[in-house]
Amino acid sequence: MGRLGELERAVMDALWDRAEPATVRTVHADLVERGLAYTTVMTVLTRLTDKGLVRRERDGRAWRYAPAAAREDYIAELMLEALALTGDRGPALVRFANSVSTDEAEALRRALENPR
């Protein structure tokens, strides 16, 4: 899946924060504080679509964009890719588990006790 650049991440965050697919104009408005050109946002959305991270559907003359996967799915995939970089996942998992908060450790414990 690969890591997102800063601008790609901002665009994805704007999409993940929405309940429904958004037009380029809507995403551009969400990122107005960045001072981006409309065409820059359109280009980023097109590239994210080409990478398979965003899906789009026609709505009249415009496209509506939505994340192809939930934010949690994307983050989990990044974590799995990072784990794949090591020959022995055990030590990396232990190091990770020792670095999380008590609440996060409890969430991990619950997930391990009740796998899908």
Side-chain angles (χ1 to χ4, degrees):
M1 185 173 287
R3 293 186 61 188
L4 296 172
E6 179 191 353
L7 187 51
E8 290 175 324
R9 178 63 191 248
V11 169
M12 288 302 300
D13 282 339
L15 292 175
W16 278 321
D17 290 344
R18 299 193 152 278
E20 296 180 3
T23 62
V24 175
R25 186 169 314 285
T26 303
V27 175
H28 181 254
D30 288 347
L31 303 174
V32 71
E33 74 282 351
R34 289 178 161 263
L36 300 170
Y38 176 91
T39 54
T40 300
V41 175
M42 184 169 48
T43 298
V44 172
L45 283 164
T46 299
R47 288 183 181 163
L48 290 168
T49 300
D50 292 344
K51 291 180 178 182
L53 296 168
V54 168
R55 58 182 169 74
R56 69 182 180 184
E57 58 190 41
R58 261 296 180 202
D59 184 10
R61 291 181 50 204
W63 289 102
R64 290 204 174 268
Y65 296 85
R71 184 186 331 243
E72 295 78 12
D73 294 330
Y74 172 74
I75 298 300
E77 186 65 32
L78 284 179
M79 294 170 71
L80 289 171
E81 286 178 14
L83 282 172
L85 296 175
T86 180
D88 184 2
R89 292 180 174 201
L93 286 168
V94 169
R95 183 80 171 246
F96 174 76
N98 287 332
S99 69
V100 300
S101 71
T102 303
D103 289 342
E104 292 164 337
E106 183 56 35
L108 284 171
R109 192 174 295 107
R110 283 192 309 271
L112 291 170
E113 290 172 354
N114 299 309
R116 289 188 204 184

